[in-house]
Amino acid sequence: MPDMSKMKKPDVKVVLLGDMNVGKTSLLHRYMERKFKDTVSTVGGAFFLKQWGPYNISIWDTAGREQFHGLGSMYCRGAAAVILTYDVTNWQSLAELEERFLSLTDTANHDCIYAIVGNKADLTDSKAHLSRDSDGQSENQTECEEGRTEPEVLSACPTPPASPASLSGLMLHKQVTREDAVALYGRILRYKGLEEKSSLPAEKMCFETSAKTGYNVDALFEALFDLVLPSILRKRHENQESPTVDLEECRGVSGKKARSSCC
């Protein structure tokens, strides 16, 4: 177990919500560890701490199973952003966001930001096979170049993904369209009593991602981090105005006073 006294204090909280098997944990592993790996269903919740410039952002991965449903509101308490995640090949996973998970966000900050994220885009869209990292290189190119030790090696990188035509037979039916996600975002704003004109536009808050290939994963998290920056700055300002009391130091001072007055 990590030493909690040495952990950095988070400046802001981001929470992932969604049904089981939509890929929430895989999205986090892809972003935090830069790789995809098979995962088991999350039990309760898992905590990640992201160093983003001078700020510390806690990212909470929550369980999608119904038996852990009640824990969601606890994890959402004080959240500055919530990522509502569904599977683009499963219409029910989108419906569950509104039916089961939206009410859990009642404990989030009043100015919480909501992103609607359709994962597993690589199963329905051939362009999601072409993942690009922050340097503009494809994932296959990066892995190949990292493996080269001599400049004269002539072996080529792995064959790039097949063309859309050749992949068409492998694609699954896309049950949830982007328009469906945009419509859900509008209903979330109405549920929260927010006006669409004064809120972030749906086009900016609805994403389609692939944890397997990395498609749009960085774009999702970094867009959210930019948007929660005002919350981070406000929280730091409030902490400066209301300094915390060091209990250990207080105990030490009171102990000295007690010893000095006993004789």
Side-chain angles (χ1 to χ4, degrees):
M1 181 178 293
D3 185 352
M4 299 299 290
S5 64
K6 295 181 180 179
M7 288 187 67
K8 297 176 181 178
K9 184 178 179 181
D11 292 300
V12 75
K13 180 197 287 187
V14 176
V15 180
L16 280 89
L17 290 179
D19 204 1
M20 61 184 298
N21 297 327
V22 298
K24 301 184 299 296
T25 303
S26 295
L27 279 172
L28 268 179
H29 280 296
R30 166 60 72 177
Y31 181 66
M32 298 295 295
E33 301 176 5
R34 320 307 296 171
K35 62 184 179 181
F36 174 80
K37 61 181 180 181
D38 293 328
T39 61
V40 295
S41 296
T42 302
V43 177
F47 170 81
F48 293 77
L49 189 65
K50 172 67 176 177
Q51 181 78 36
W52 190 65
Y55 310 113
N56 302 311
I57 300 178
S58 63
I59 310 175
W60 286 87
D61 177 23
T62 61
R65 292 183 180 181
E66 197 155 1
Q67 58 262 47
F68 300 115
H69 184 68
L71 297 174
S73 60
M74 178 183 69
Y75 293 125
C76 285
R77 185 173 294 116
V82 173
I83 301 173
L84 293 159
T85 315
Y86 65 93
D87 176 353
V88 295
T89 69
N90 184 344
W91 169 262
Q92 186 60 32
S93 68
L94 182 78
E96 291 288 324
L97 292 179
E98 191 169 10
E99 295 171 7
R100 286 178 49 208
F101 294 97
L102 182 55
S103 62
L104 301 180
T105 66
D106 291 347
T107 56
N109 288 349
H110 70 280
D111 57 352
C112 182
I113 295 168
Y114 298 92
I116 313 298
V117 177
N119 194 36
K120 304 187 183 182
D122 60 287
L123 298 179
T124 64
D125 191 345
S126 58
K127 73 179 181 181
H129 286 258
L130 292 169
S131 172
R132 296 273 171 185
D133 61 20
S134 57
D135 297 324
Q137 294 177 306
S138 71
E139 189 175 78
N140 286 341
Q141 286 176 325
T142 303
E143 291 176 355
C144 179
E145 290 169 3
E146 287 176 351
R148 290 178 178 168
T149 56
E150 297 179 4
E152 63 271 15
V153 173
L154 299 178
S155 59
C157 289
T159 303
S163 65
S166 62
L167 283 172
S168 59
L170 303 176
M171 296 291 100
L172 298 181
H173 174 61
K174 186 176 184 178
Q175 294 188 12
V176 185
T177 66
R178 182 173 175 81
E179 289 72 23
D180 295 325
V182 168
L184 173 60
Y185 182 75
R187 293 195 296 274
I188 289 174
L189 294 182
R190 290 192 290 274
Y191 174 84
K192 295 295 180 180
L194 302 173
E195 295 184 3
E196 291 191 32
K197 292 182 179 180
S198 58
S199 302
L200 293 166
E203 292 74 17
K204 191 175 182 179
M205 302 310 300
C206 295
F207 298 80
E208 290 188 352
T209 62
S210 169
K212 188 171 185 178
T213 68
Y215 175 72
N216 254 359
V217 175
D218 283 1
L220 162 66
F221 284 99
E222 290 170 10
L224 279 184
F225 294 167
D226 280 332
L227 292 170
V228 299
L229 183 57
S231 294
I232 296 175
L233 298 177
R234 183 177 64 252
K235 184 177 179 181
R236 286 195 169 187
H237 179 70
E238 291 171 353
N239 289 340
Q240 288 174 355
E241 291 185 343
S242 304
T244 57
V245 177
D246 190 329
L247 296 179
E248 292 298 328
E249 185 177 341
C250 289
R251 291 192 189 101
V253 171
S254 61
K256 289 179 181 179
K257 288 182 178 179
R259 285 193 295 272
S260 62
S261 61
C262 67
C263 299

